[in-house]
Amino acid sequence: MCRVTLRLSGSQLECDEAHPSLLIALESHKVAVEYQCREGYCGSCRTRLVTGQVTWLTEPLAFIQPGEILPCCCKAQGDIEIEM
């Protein structure tokens, strides 16, 4: 189990193995995340990873800058903080 901190609101959420992706973990806690494809193609869910690390489930196809992640195609690897 890991903790996801949302920097803008200060909220802290728990995610575990039952959540196949960070996007699904966020949605399970009623966090509104903009998305379209859920597979790393569109980049709509792009956010900045402030601290921590993620594990990519699939290589994102949308262009992302260093320090950005796509919650639809990654999982938290331990506790993380994201710009949301």
Side-chain angles (χ1 to χ4, degrees):
M1 183 157 333
C2 62
R3 181 171 301 143
V4 178
T5 302
L6 308 180
R7 184 174 210 189
L8 299 179
S9 68
S11 299
Q12 293 187 340
L13 319 168
E14 290 185 356
C15 59
D16 57 36
E17 293 302 315
H19 303 118
S21 71
L22 180 55
L23 175 61
I24 291 172
L26 294 167
E27 290 177 327
S28 75
H29 291 285
K30 308 291 188 235
V31 176
V33 181
E34 188 174 324
Y35 68 88
Q36 291 182 16
C37 72
R38 292 185 171 266
E39 296 177 10
Y41 295 111
C42 71
S44 293
C45 65
R46 176 183 294 117
T47 191
R48 192 166 71 83
L49 180 64
V50 179
T51 60
Q53 295 182 336
V54 296
T55 300
W56 294 105
L57 304 170
T58 59
E59 190 69 28
L61 296 173
F63 181 75
I64 56 173
Q65 297 286 334
E68 291 181 332
I69 60 169
L70 299 179
C72 69
C73 57
C74 70
K75 290 182 84 160
Q77 186 177 0
D79 295 346
I80 65 171
E81 181 177 356
I82 57 176
E83 188 79 32
M84 238 180 216

